């Protein structure tokens, strides 16, 4: 089996010239580079000065703002670190924070009495193509513990649509603790919000400015002329454009490129710090110390940040990347191998994200009434009326055939299983729908893939602030103090996918008694005259994929057909090859994942890689039982605490495996199902011995994941 140790990389790179000048990469916007040092006490790289534990820490109270309506860049940074940390991991002590992971846990996995603050430098810059429209935010953190003679880089591509601090709790924490530079990127889908009514935008540091004044320093400004914006505001007032949805660039197609750019920027930063300085005729120059391939580099992140890491490895023609570790990767392949789970063939596999996400957005709300929930009530956040209304809406559109609510719910759940959702994720559909995780992702990606403009109001949706969540009427953002403050702070508190901060998803076509644009969750569908979570909008989004009205009716025509064709072309652009150039890679995913189902993500990618590069390809897959996509939900919902364990614990262990493999040539454990045991009570403290054991170096035969004769075999 092919291995890439650090020595091999150094030998391969030895032929590179060591005398060339360190120059800023062409994709870096020169005037955007900002550098700041942190002492590791009053402020730091990992916790924003908060520390790991205590009342006012990552685990404690949210850091405030001296003026909530006009926060400073430093305040926004600290709050962004706090928010993104808590969004990615279970922050409760009983759930593992402070004992299994967290800033205070050392590189050997032992909790300490310290606060885990890390001193060092932070470099920010824009990655752009020269138009000023892309402006991907990159960040490189170099800890003071960085050893220039044993250099390492870890990537931290943001998960979801988060800003540049979006991977700080996952790849960032591990990398900084190990003395590695961390190369972050928001991959072009980060926290850019354009208030179209007031024409304000975010800058690279999160503060807000007038769009005209910001110009090309804006994180994101909608591609509208002044006349377009005026006309849009007249017809559709008080709306927002959000970068991932409305950039019209389909950023996902370039996520791998942006991750590679972050690595190259990190090389530039490290060469600036450690390269030899000289002066010729008064012109100071820096000679590169490191060339491509000379620094041990692990491409690492989770969710679609993990998908970006895989895409980067596929595109890595210059050998920047030494190894890859990804958790619950949102990655799409056009085709894959046969897959067997427990000896039974998996029928639905390798579906594109848009296909399974729009199907889930339709059916999850009704599936929450399935029989399995009757004995698991603490996993259901929807009311009986909400479930009944959603099921009735599906029936009215011909998307269900059953005639009673119970039968309709069971039918809806079966449709999800038939589409590739494992039965292990049955109990997650209610929380994913009620928190709007699924509907929000479906809408954001619909706009992104179709390269829709904000003025298109795709499928009758828009984004706006409302008077209250219960009433849901659209209002000017500055008319409610909390909304105005929320917009000012959105860089720190937002996740890039509305609903986020003060920005809600709006159903423009709501009817009486919620006449006119209203918050999607309380709106009334025109086709059913019922508050059913906007079945009309959800069915329209599904129809853009199926090419039919409501997802099952007559063929689309006119503008919807054009939007459907554009969307499908966008989906084609983001599918990956699974050819990883022989780079050692570890995939980690929970079997219960209900956001990115394993049959369409890790299983599909792993099978596709084995078909493309052979059974001996150095790619490993750990499928973890009792683990799902949102570790933060474990601390938030009581029902999760006795059913699920933190997948993050196994992402960290996989990073340890990869680091030791690349540094010392240690053997990576083979692909396997990792057996875990949830806590019996949320009051229990999770432990390695009882709940989340180490991944075995030699798994039992019954746990081994194998590939043979074109088939991926996963034990039950």
């Amino acid at each position: 089996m092919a291995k890439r140790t650090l020595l091999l990389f150094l030998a391969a790179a030895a032929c590179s010239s060591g005398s060339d000048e360190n120059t800023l990469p062409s994709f870096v916007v020169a005037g955007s580079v900002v550098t700041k040092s942190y002492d590791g006490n009053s402020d730091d790289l990992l916790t924003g000065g908060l520390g790991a534990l205590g009342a006012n820490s990552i685990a404690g109270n949210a850091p405030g703002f001296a003026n909530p309506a006009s926060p400073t860049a430093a305040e926004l940074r600290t709050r962004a670190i706090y928010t993104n940390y808590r969004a990615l991991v279970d922050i409760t002590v009983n759930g593992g924070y402070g004992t299994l992971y967290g800033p205070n846990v050392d590189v050997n996995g032992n909790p300490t009495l310290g606060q885990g603050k890390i001193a060092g430098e932070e470099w920010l810059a824009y990655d752009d193509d020269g138009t000023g429209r892309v402006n991907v935010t990159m960040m490189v953190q170099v800890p003071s513990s960085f050893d220039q003679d044993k250099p390492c880089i870890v990537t931290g591509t943001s998960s979801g649509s988060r800003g540049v601090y979006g991977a700080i709790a996952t790849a960032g924490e591990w990398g900084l603790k190990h003395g590695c530079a961390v190369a972050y990127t928001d991959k072009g889908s980060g926290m850019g919000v354009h208030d179209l009514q007031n024409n304000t935008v975010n800058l690279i540091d999160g503060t807000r400015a007038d769009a005209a004044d910001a110009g090309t320093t804006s994180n994101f400004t909608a591609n509208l002329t002044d006349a377009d914006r005026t006309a849009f505001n007249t017809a559709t007032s008080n709306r927002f454009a959000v970068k991932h949805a409305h950039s019209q660039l389909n950023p996902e197609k370039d996520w791998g490129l942006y991750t590679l750019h972050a690595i190259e920027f990190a090389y530039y930063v490290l060469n600036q710090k450690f390269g030899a300085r000289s002066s010729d005729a008064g012109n100071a120059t820096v000679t590169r110390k490191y060339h491509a391939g000379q620094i041990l580099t692990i491409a690492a992140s989770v969710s679609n940040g993990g998908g970006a890491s895989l895409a980067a490895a596929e595109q890595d023609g210059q050998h920047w990347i030494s190894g890859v570790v990804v958790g619950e990767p949102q990655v799409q392949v056009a085709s894959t191998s046969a897959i067997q789970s427990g000896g039974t063939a998996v029928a639905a596999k390798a579906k594109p994200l848009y296909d399974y996400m729009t199907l889930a957005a339709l059916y999850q709300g009704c599936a929450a009434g399935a029989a399995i929930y009757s004995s698991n009530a603490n996993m259901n956040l929807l009311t009986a009326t909400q479930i009944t209304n959603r099921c009735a809406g599906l029936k009215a559109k011909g998307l269900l055939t059953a005639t009673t609510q119970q039968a309709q719910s069971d039918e809806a759940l079966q449709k999800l299983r038939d589409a590739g959702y494992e039965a292990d994720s049955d109990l997650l559909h209610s929380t994913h729908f009620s928190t709007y995780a699924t509907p929000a992702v479906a809408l954001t990606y619909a706009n992104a893939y179709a390269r829709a403009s904000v003025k298109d109001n795709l499928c009758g949706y828009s984004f706006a602030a409302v008077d209250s969540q219960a009433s849901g009427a659209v209002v000017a953002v500055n008319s409610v103090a909390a909304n105005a403050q929320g917009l000012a702070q959105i860089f720190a508190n937002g996740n890039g996918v509305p609903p986020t901060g003060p920005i809600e998803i709006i159903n423009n076509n709501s009817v009486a008694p919620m006449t006119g644009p209203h918050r999607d969750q309380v709106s009334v569908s025109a086709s059913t005259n019922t508050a059913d979570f906007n079945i009309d909008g959800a069915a329209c989004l599904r129809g853009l994929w199926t090419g039919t009205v409501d997802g099952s009716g007559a063929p689309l025509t006119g503008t919807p057909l054009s939007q459907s064709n554009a969307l499908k072309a966008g989906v084609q652009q983001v599918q990956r090859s699974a050819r990883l150039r022989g780079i050692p890679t570890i995939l980690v995913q929970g079997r219960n994942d209900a956001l990115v189902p394993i049959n369409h993500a890790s299983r599909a990618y792993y099978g596709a890689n084995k078909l493309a590069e052979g059974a001996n390809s150095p790619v490993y897959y750990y499928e973890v039982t009792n683990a799902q996509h949102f570790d933060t939900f474990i601390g938030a919902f009581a029902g999760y605490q006795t059913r699920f364990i933190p997948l993050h614990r196994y992402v960290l262990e996989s990073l340890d495996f990869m680091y030791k493999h690349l540094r010392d040539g240690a053997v990576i454990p083979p692909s396997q199902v990792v057996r875990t045991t949830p806590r019996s009570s949320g009051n229990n403290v999770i432990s390695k011995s009882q709940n989340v054991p180490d991944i075995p170096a030699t798994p039992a035969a019954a746990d081994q994941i194998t590939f043979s004769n074109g088939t991926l075999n996963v034990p039950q």
Side-chain angles (χ1 to χ4, degrees):
M1 183 176 294
K3 297 179 181 177
R4 286 191 176 187
T5 65
L6 179 63
L7 291 177
L8 287 176
F9 270 93
L10 291 174
C15 60
S16 298
S17 169
S19 61
D20 55 330
E21 181 181 349
N22 189 43
T23 58
L24 194 68
S26 61
F27 54 82
V28 179
V29 180
S32 69
V33 180
V34 177
T35 307
K36 187 169 182 180
S37 297
Y38 296 94
D39 61 14
N41 293 307
S42 62
D43 207 343
D44 76 302
L45 300 180
L46 183 57
T47 74
L50 298 172
L53 302 167
N56 297 301
S57 68
I58 293 292
N61 301 315
F65 305 96
N67 180 357
S70 184
T72 67
E75 290 172 333
L76 288 167
R77 175 186 179 272
T78 298
R79 177 70 79 89
I81 291 173
Y82 173 89
T83 301
N84 283 289
Y85 226 108
R86 302 168 71 87
L88 271 293
V89 301
D90 180 358
I91 209 70
T92 65
V93 173
N94 286 359
Y97 180 81
T99 55
L100 297 178
Y101 53 85
N104 67 304
V105 178
D106 67 21
V107 295
N108 297 312
N110 300 314
T112 70
L113 297 178
Q115 288 295 326
K117 296 181 181 181
I118 295 177
E121 289 185 8
E122 189 169 283
W123 295 56
L124 274 175
Y126 275 144
D127 174 355
D128 190 74
D129 63 359
T131 65
R133 288 190 57 208
V134 180
N135 277 0
V136 173
T137 303
M138 298 181 295
M139 179 175 70
V140 176
Q141 292 183 323
V142 185
S144 297
S145 58
F146 184 89
D147 185 343
Q148 59 180 304
D149 295 321
K150 294 181 179 179
C152 56
I153 296 171
V154 176
T155 68
T157 304
S158 291
S159 61
S161 303
R162 296 185 173 278
V164 75
Y165 292 96
I168 197 154
T170 51
E173 179 190 292
W174 188 94
L176 292 173
K177 286 179 183 178
H178 284 77
C180 300
V182 184
Y184 301 86
T185 174
D186 71 4
K187 66 186 190 305
S189 50
M191 284 309 308
V193 175
H194 186 178
D195 175 355
L196 297 168
Q197 196 73 44
N198 299 296
N199 204 28
T200 62
V201 294
N202 286 109
L203 303 179
I204 194 171
D205 61 5
T207 58
R208 293 189 65 79
D210 180 89
D213 293 338
T216 58
T217 67
S218 165
N219 178 281
F220 164 67
T221 301
N223 187 28
L224 301 172
T225 65
D226 288 343
D228 284 338
R229 189 173 63 83
T230 298
F232 180 78
N233 288 338
T234 299
T236 319
S237 60
N238 300 312
R239 298 305 204 273
F240 297 93
V242 178
K243 188 169 187 176
H244 190 172
H246 297 134
S247 71
Q248 298 182 265
L249 298 174
N250 191 13
E252 186 177 349
K253 68 180 173 56
D254 295 317
W255 284 352
L257 176 66
Y258 298 146
T259 300
L260 290 172
H261 280 181
I263 296 171
E264 188 172 353
F265 181 51
Y267 265 76
Y268 168 79
V269 169
L270 294 174
N271 280 319
Q272 284 296 104
K273 285 182 63 63
F274 303 115
R277 281 173 162 71
S278 61
S279 180
D280 182 13
N283 296 317
T285 61
V286 177
T287 300
R288 292 178 183 171
K289 180 180 178 69
Y290 307 112
H291 298 78
Q294 289 185 310
I295 298 177
L296 187 157
T297 300
I298 302 175
S301 191
V302 301
S303 195
N304 60 24
S309 300
L310 293 169
E314 291 183 14
Q315 299 166 26
D316 185 17
Q318 291 186 266
H319 307 293
W320 296 107
I321 298 172
S322 318
V324 179
V325 176
V326 295
E328 57 196 20
Q330 188 277 91
V331 63
Q332 307 177 62
V333 289
S335 62
T336 189
S337 67
I339 300 174
Q340 288 193 348
S341 177
T344 301
V346 171
K349 58 187 186 297
K351 287 180 178 288
L353 175 141
Y354 190 80
D355 185 359
Y356 64 74
M357 199 66 68
T358 53
L359 187 104
L362 269 181
Y363 289 106
Q364 281 182 326
C366 177
I372 193 171
Y373 281 92
S374 62
S375 58
N376 295 280
N378 65 349
M379 290 297 289
N380 202 341
L381 300 184
L382 296 173
T383 67
T385 298
Q386 289 172 327
I387 293 168
T388 297
N389 287 353
R390 185 60 168 209
C391 291
L394 290 165
K395 171 66 173 175
K397 289 187 176 295
L399 297 170
L400 291 175
T401 60
T403 56
T404 66
Q405 177 269 308
Q406 184 63 70
Q408 289 166 350
S409 291
D410 291 336
E411 182 183 355
L413 181 59
Q414 188 59 49
K415 284 185 177 293
L416 291 167
R417 290 178 178 173
D418 293 343
Y421 287 81
E422 287 289 298
D424 301 78
S425 64
D426 282 354
L427 289 175
L428 295 164
H429 295 306
S430 175
T431 49
H432 282 44
F433 184 82
S434 60
T435 59
Y436 251 50
T438 304
V441 170
L443 177 57
T444 290
Y445 281 83
N447 280 277
Y449 291 147
R451 296 181 185 246
S453 168
V454 64
K455 65 183 181 181
D456 291 333
N457 291 313
L458 193 69
C459 284
Y461 288 103
S462 62
F463 299 146
V466 297
D467 54 356
S468 71
Q469 289 201 335
S471 172
V474 173
V475 295
V477 68
N478 293 329
S479 68
V480 178
N483 288 341
Q485 292 175 9
L487 179 60
Q489 301 166 16
I490 199 160
F491 171 85
N493 296 325
N495 61 20
V497 179
T500 183
I503 304 175
E504 298 285 350
I505 297 174
I506 302 300
N507 174 7
N508 290 345
N509 302 321
S510 182
V511 298
M514 296 292 188
T515 305
H518 275 74
R519 180 173 176 257
D520 201 53
Q521 292 92 321
V522 298
S523 66
V524 176
S525 298
S527 69
T528 62
N529 290 308
T530 304
D532 52 19
F533 294 96
N534 189 9
I535 189 69
D536 293 346
C540 173
L541 292 178
R542 181 63 182 165
L544 293 179
W545 180 251
T546 63
T548 57
V549 175
D550 288 340
S552 65
L556 297 177
T557 60
T559 298
L561 177 59
S562 297
Q563 292 171 334
S564 174
N565 290 336
L567 182 145
K568 291 175 183 177
V571 170
Q572 288 292 319
Q573 290 181 314
V574 304
Q575 293 184 325
R576 312 304 181 193
S577 70
R579 294 185 178 274
L580 289 168
R581 303 170 179 267
I583 298 173
T585 298
I586 299 176
L587 314 172
V588 187
Q589 190 162 6
R591 177 173 286 177
N592 308 71
D593 201 321
L595 187 76
V596 182
I598 51 175
N599 290 316
H600 307 311
S602 289
R603 285 181 178 178
Y605 193 88
Y606 185 68
N609 172 263
K610 295 301 182 184
L611 282 181
E613 297 191 326
N616 292 324
S617 169
V619 179
Y620 306 85
Y621 172 41
Y622 305 136
E623 186 168 297
V624 183
T625 65
N626 307 304
Q628 47 82 49
H629 201 85
F630 296 110
D631 277 8
T632 188
F633 280 10
I634 301 174
F637 303 123
Y640 277 61
Q641 293 165 14
T642 56
R643 291 178 174 87
F644 303 114
I645 58 89
L647 183 69
H648 180 53
R649 177 267 190 275
Y650 290 106
V651 174
L652 296 179
E653 187 175 18
S654 296
L655 280 163
D656 290 339
F657 290 155
M658 184 59 67
Y659 185 69
K660 292 173 183 176
H661 173 69
L662 296 172
R663 183 71 76 189
D664 306 320
V667 175
I668 297 174
S671 299
Q672 58 189 280
V673 173
V674 180
R675 309 289 180 182
T676 68
T677 303
R679 292 170 286 164
S680 59
S681 167
N683 294 323
N684 295 345
V685 178
I686 198 166
S687 72
K688 283 187 179 181
S689 60
Q690 297 181 23
N691 308 113
V692 286
D694 289 337
I695 296 173
T698 305
D703 294 335
Q704 294 177 14
I705 295 175
T706 61
F707 184 86
S708 61
N709 300 318
T711 299
L712 174 63
N713 300 282
V714 182
Q716 190 55 42

